[in-house]
Amino acid sequence: MAVPSPLRRTFDYLPPLEADTKQLRPGVRVLVPFGNRKLVAVLVEMANGSDLPRSRLKPVTSILDSAALYSSAMMRVLRWASNYYQCPLGEVFATALPANLRSGKARNQTVSFWRASKDQECNSADLLKRALKQKHLFDFIETTGAVTTSQCQQAGFSVQLLRELDKKNLIESFDEFAARPDKFTPLDSNPEHSIALNPEQADAFASIQTKLDQFACILLDGVTGSGKTEVYMRAMQEQLAKGKQCLVLVPEIGLTPQTVMRFEQRFACPVVTLHSGLTDNERLSAWNMAFEGQAGIVIGTRSAIFTPLANPGLIVIDEEHDTSFKQQDGFRYSARDLAVVRAREEKICVILGSATPSLESLHNANSNKFTHLQLRNRAGNANICAIDIVDISSETLQGGFSELLLYKIEKHLRQQNQVLIFINRRGFAPVLNCNLCGWTAECENCVAQLTVHSKPPGLRCHHCGAVKPMPISCPHCQSKNLTTFGMGTQKIETFLIERFPKVPVLRIDRDSVRSKSKLDEMLEQVNRGEPCILLGTQMLAKGHHFPKITLAGILDADVGLFSADFRGQEQMAQTIIQVAGRAGRAEEPGEVLIQSRHAGHPILQCLARGDYAVFTEQLLQERKQAGMPPFAHLGLIRAESTDLQQPLAYLRKVRAFADELISQQQLRVAVLGPLPAPMEKRAGRYRVQLLLRSSNRGALQSLLTHICHFMETGKLPARLRWSVDVDPQDLI
Ligand code: ADP
Ligand code: ZN
Ligand code: ZN
């Protein structure tokens, strides 16, 4: 039984005393006594005996499902993940299951809908004469028939408006089983409205076609706008025609509603989306549609990789290089890597698509584990845009902009086009500085500088969320001569508004798009196509399609060039190329300007030629020489506590244990550390890490399992927390 407990083992139970034990099979949920609590567990295996005497075994309290929630293939995937990522199986299930199922609720649940009241006391037109917004909402509900609260919100109506209509008895709510009973109808394999593929796309598709319905990994490596999505859709079409379901993973759904819309418009089958914006009931309903085979297409972010499909046909990972596919806490899995394992177990094909593939995937393609398909040209009429490096080493910038970039912005706006300004915010936001003594505002909880925010004014730590009032004078020397230094999106926004007063400046970053409706509003404004300046961080580099953007400016490329992390350069290159890909996607030719103080740097020169392939070849060589991924595999053990000595001492003990095991079993694993993490202190806790490295996955795996067992069963100093990260995204 996989019980949601931090212990890395499963537990034995007796069958329930009264219930029908025929229902018991791997993959069903059961309620079990655990200590003095009752927990929802998943049955993993039926055993004939136990190591414990029968008298010490307790019976299962009740069986929660009449059918297994996961196929045997999916059960193998989840168990593989538990072993590989060194995460207790109970926690793996807790991540994989939708919240409602995790908490033990029944799988078939009802969802509340609104509809126009059957017995309206008086005429809606009369009642809503002076309430235009309510009238719009009423019309929306009446014409749609039945809508959920969140569907109303998505359509731009507030909950308050719903309440008003409810008070007036114009609408009523009713409950209905969320799941519809039938599987989706297989689609016609050749609907008229699909676009004719160009020769490159046709070649790629022909190659994919021969590999559908068997285990295969395909890396679709195509420049932005080369029509990768069109190729996915053709492969999906093939599978949907056979009545098979397709699972599509994307980095972020809120930002790419266009992608979802494209699938909905193209395919006449139910499309469900799974993302963080759903309520628990909506999520379960989507999950059910996938599980029961009613949904033809399931689109989701990272955790959607665990969605069971009644009839799996294809997995697509769009923007496979994106770091959001790796979970950074708890169960630290990579959805991309799990997709490959899942495809193997379900004997289906997985397509990994990107304009900037990860070094891992390129390496897999080079070693023939993946089939490498390339699209070198943009589809349709768009041309690949020119990338220029602007040397700012000897220029006094105005608000972070060079003369040339300002001139170009002016020019593109005057031609009625849109401009995108990208700022790499990491380590790049304004810091508060004393001009007299050199003091800088730092967070007391972290080894990090505080960031100056203007809306609302104050100092904020981006690592622990601490907020402090803006000091009037230097706490060190009392001087009032404080200045901000560096650039952040808010500061640049202010500058751009002053400099280009006639056009709207739209800032898109984590702070400005907290609310979905605000983001939708901004995206809609961009899509209207009128001149504007779009200003943003990494979020902007993710798969948008803005046809009127013709100029992309990257304010500073140097942060990534000299990053402390081993993936820093790879990520910078990906970001630059992705941002560049946003410019000139339609008929208008695009231009990209990158500002740097190191314009001659070979990496930038390489990127300026648009040569991601040459760049990655060089980087792969460097990684090979340094013995870093993808040529070696890493396991990172982190320990943290309120003082530095405790985790250091603890990890030294762990290291001694590891060293002994390595020499005993002659494992070829290198151990580095323990060392304080590059970001030594975070949210008041000191962080120390021990890095394990090996070119042999099995050896690393086995060592990690022993170490985890050692840490779990040994005595742990009070206040100390540890975690294991297999294939870590960064070492910070
Ligand atoms: P990617 O996913 O590689 O960024 P998309 O599939 O989104 O590229 O295609 C970019 C644009 O080119 C879209 O507007 C799409 O409709 C168009 N397009 C794709 N393939 C073709 C084609 N074969 N003929 C004409 N236009 C195409
Ligand atoms: Zn001072
Ligand atoms: Zn902090």
Side-chain angles (χ1 to χ4, degrees):
M1 218 68 82
V3 178
S5 99
L7 298 177
R8 260 147 250 266
R9 46 165 290 215
T10 50
F11 297 84
D12 294 347
Y13 285 89
L14 293 171
L17 296 174
E18 273 150 26
D20 182 5
T21 52
K22 278 205 253 7
Q23 269 174 289
L24 281 177
R25 61 175 63 98
V28 301
R29 289 173 306 149
V30 291
L31 201 62
V32 294
F34 194 78
N36 46 18
R37 290 179 301 162
K38 290 260 194 294
L39 293 181
V40 177
V42 177
L43 177 70
V44 191
E45 214 175 287
M46 308 271 275
N48 288 323
S50 170
D51 295 340
L52 289 172
R54 203 181 163 87
S55 59
R56 294 206 30 217
L57 293 176
K58 290 183 195 155
V60 163
T61 309
S62 61
I63 307 174
L64 298 175
D65 295 303
S66 54
L69 299 185
Y70 296 104
S71 64
S72 52
M74 274 307 281
M75 289 294 278
R76 288 195 297 276
V77 173
L78 295 167
R79 293 178 78 159
W80 182 93
S82 163
N83 287 328
Y84 184 81
Y85 293 108
Q86 304 291 338
C87 178
L89 193 54
E91 266 184 51
V92 170
F93 278 111
T95 304
L97 287 169
N100 283 353
L101 297 184
R102 201 184 317 145
S103 63
K105 293 205 180 113
R107 193 171 63 74
N108 269 309
Q109 274 187 319
T110 55
V111 172
S112 296
F113 292 93
W114 293 103
R115 67 178 167 214
S117 291
K118 293 244 163 66
D119 45 15
Q120 288 165 27
E121 282 155 25
C122 40
N123 191 311
S124 66
D126 278 353
L127 258 177
L128 299 176
K129 213 180 276 165
R130 266 185 298 279
L132 204 57
K133 269 194 181 158
Q134 291 179 33
K135 174 94 176 77
H136 284 324
L137 175 56
F138 181 78
D139 290 345
F140 172 68
I141 294 174
E142 200 173 33
T143 47
T144 323
V147 289
T148 62
T149 299
S150 70
Q151 280 168 339
C152 292
Q153 284 174 301
Q154 269 163 22
F157 301 104
S158 69
V159 179
Q160 183 57 30
L161 281 177
L162 275 169
R163 274 198 216 111
E164 302 282 345
L165 288 182
D166 191 22
K167 243 193 287 175
K168 291 178 183 157
N169 281 327
L170 289 170
I171 56 170
E172 61 190 15
S173 79
F174 68 102
D175 292 346
E176 200 167 75
F177 274 116
R180 271 146 292 246
D182 292 324
K183 291 206 175 3
F184 77 94
T185 328
L187 297 186
D188 178 352
S189 70
N190 206 1
E192 306 111 50
H193 43 277
S194 72
I195 297 177
L197 298 181
N198 66 32
E200 263 191 335
Q201 288 170 315
D203 279 352
F205 173 62
S207 166
I208 294 171
Q209 215 174 6
T210 63
K211 297 188 176 66
L212 292 169
D213 301 317
Q214 57 181 341
F215 170 52
C217 300
I218 288 156
L219 175 61
L220 185 59
D221 171 2
V223 297
T224 11
S226 59
K228 294 183 291 297
T229 312
E230 234 14 82
V231 176
Y232 308 149
M233 290 204 282
R234 283 301 277 272
M236 289 163 67
Q237 199 172 48
E238 291 282 300
Q239 298 308 75
L240 291 167
K242 299 173 196 155
K244 294 189 179 183
Q245 298 167 281
C246 303
L247 175 63
V248 182
L249 295 199
V250 294
E252 204 147 358
I253 286 188
L255 281 161
T256 46
Q258 298 113 318
T259 312
V260 178
M261 256 152 57
R262 263 172 94 178
F263 291 125
E264 284 172 345
Q265 280 162 3
R266 177 69 59 90
F267 299 112
C269 66
V271 177
V272 297
T273 53
L274 286 159
H275 55 89
S276 57
L278 300 180
T279 65
D280 288 349
N281 284 343
E282 288 170 330
R283 179 178 297 271
L284 179 59
S285 149
W287 190 94
N288 266 320
M289 301 247 320
F291 175 79
E292 290 176 351
Q294 292 128 19
I297 300 172
V298 178
I299 307 179
T301 44
R302 181 174 62 222
S303 65
I305 190 59
F306 300 113
T307 316
L309 300 175
N311 203 356
L314 178 70
I315 305 177
V316 173
I317 311 286
D318 193 24
E319 312 287 351
E320 67 87 27
H321 65 278
D322 198 278
T323 52
S324 72
F325 288 124
K326 177 85 201 283
Q327 173 131 322
Q328 307 277 18
D329 53 21
F331 171 24
R332 294 170 168 79
Y333 65 95
S334 152
R336 178 196 62 208
D337 297 349
L338 276 183
V340 173
V341 175
R342 177 169 181 173
R344 185 186 71 204
E345 294 300 331
E346 294 192 319
K347 301 191 178 58
I348 57 174
C349 172
V350 54
I351 305 176
L352 311 181
S354 176
T356 51
S358 62
L359 294 186
E360 274 76 6
S361 295
L362 286 169
H363 180 61
N364 280 329
N366 292 342
S367 45
N368 291 326
K369 278 194 204 142
F370 292 0
T371 304
H372 195 177
L373 303 176
Q374 282 166 295
L375 303 176
R376 293 189 173 81
N377 303 299
R378 281 194 168 180
N381 306 321
N383 296 310
I384 302 279
C385 53
I387 301 183
D388 282 313
I389 315 281
V390 186
D391 184 353
I392 52 168
S393 56
S394 54
E395 192 176 337
T396 314
L397 301 178
Q398 304 171 54
F401 292 80
S402 60
E403 200 67 56
L404 181 64
L405 183 51
L406 286 172
Y407 164 77
K408 293 272 185 181
I409 296 174
E410 184 100 50
K411 182 174 147 209
H412 282 257
L413 291 175
R414 218 178 308 121
Q415 291 166 348
Q416 300 301 305
N417 288 317
Q418 298 176 333
V419 171
L420 183 151
I421 300 298
F422 176 82
I423 157 165
N424 191 345
R425 176 151 55 175
R426 253 183 154 180
F428 198 52
V431 283
L432 191 67
N433 212 47
C434 170
N435 283 339
L436 212 64
C437 75
W439 167 86
T440 55
E442 281 186 9
C443 177
E444 288 156 15
N445 306 323
C446 314
V447 183
Q449 275 156 345
L450 288 169
T451 307
V452 179
H453 280 243
S454 55
K455 291 175 211 165
L459 295 170
R460 247 190 262 169
C461 175
H462 284 183
H463 303 284
C464 71
V467 184
K468 294 184 78 180
M470 191 80 98
I472 300 163
S473 58
C474 171
H476 211 242
C477 71
Q478 275 69 48
S479 155
K480 290 211 164 52
N481 193 356
L482 300 177
T483 51
T484 57
F485 163 81
M487 296 178 282
T489 41
Q490 292 180 355
K491 194 169 167 189
I492 289 170
E493 181 186 22
T494 313
F495 172 80
L496 285 172
I497 291 172
E498 267 169 31
R499 177 79 191 218
F500 303 100
K502 292 203 196 91
V503 294
V505 175
L506 306 171
R507 175 165 68 89
I508 296 193
D509 58 24
R510 299 256 170 237
D511 297 325
S512 72
V513 299
R514 286 261 155 74
S515 90
K516 169 109 176 52
S517 55
K518 180 99 187 285
L519 173 65
D520 289 345
E521 215 173 275
M522 286 201 269
L523 293 179
E524 205 192 300
Q525 187 169 358
V526 180
N527 286 330
R528 277 203 298 274
E530 285 145 29
C532 68
I533 301 175
L534 203 58
L535 167 69
T537 53
Q538 250 83 357
M539 284 182 109
L540 273 182
K542 296 189 183 193
H544 299 269
H545 185 63
F546 298 131
K548 287 291 280 185
I549 289 181
T550 52
L551 172 68
I554 293 166
L555 286 190
D556 191 325
D558 300 338
V559 193
L561 276 184
F562 304 101
S563 161
D565 194 64
F566 79 98
R567 285 187 214 270
Q569 296 194 341
E570 176 186 358
Q571 280 168 7
M572 181 207 56
Q574 288 164 343
T575 305
I576 288 180
I577 291 185
Q578 293 288 343
V579 171
R582 307 299 131 212
R585 297 199 82 188
E587 294 73 32
E588 313 267 349
E591 231 183 318
V592 178
L593 256 54
I594 304 174
Q595 299 190 152
S596 168
R597 275 173 211 84
H598 305 270
H601 199 291
I603 287 184
L604 286 180
Q605 289 302 325
C606 196
L607 291 179
R609 288 191 300 272
D611 230 335
Y612 185 69
V614 173
F615 163 77
T616 50
E617 254 165 54
Q618 285 177 8
L619 213 51
L620 276 170
Q621 279 307 319
E622 283 174 29
R623 295 265 187 98
K624 190 172 185 175
Q625 273 152 21
M628 289 301 268
F631 298 92
H633 311 291
L634 303 180
L636 188 66
I637 299 167
R638 294 190 174 97
E640 51 172 71
S641 186
T642 43
D643 77 273
L644 180 62
Q645 287 317 311
Q646 200 187 44
L648 262 180
Y650 180 70
L651 286 186
R652 272 192 210 111
K653 270 207 318 216
V654 174
R655 165 149 204 173
F657 171 81
D659 284 343
E660 202 180 304
L661 210 76
I662 288 171
S663 76
Q664 248 175 34
Q665 306 194 354
Q666 305 199 334
L667 297 172
R668 295 182 48 173
V669 181
V671 185
L672 292 95
L675 285 169
M679 191 170 173
E680 188 178 311
K681 192 179 170 200
R682 183 171 180 167
R685 298 175 71 87
Y686 287 89
R687 310 157 76 234
V688 179
Q689 51 196 31
L690 192 64
L691 185 66
L692 309 184
R693 188 177 69 178
S694 178
S695 53
N696 182 333
R697 248 187 218 294
L700 179 66
Q701 208 47 47
S702 147
L703 181 62
L704 278 171
T705 307
H706 281 102
I707 290 178
C708 285
H709 183 75
F710 173 80
M711 296 194 291
E712 191 176 274
T713 49
K715 205 167 145 7
L716 212 58
R719 297 192 310 277
L720 186 125
R721 286 201 298 243
W722 61 268
S723 63
V724 176
D725 193 348
V726 179
D727 302 335
Q729 197 49 246
D730 57 50
L731 306 178
I732 298 194

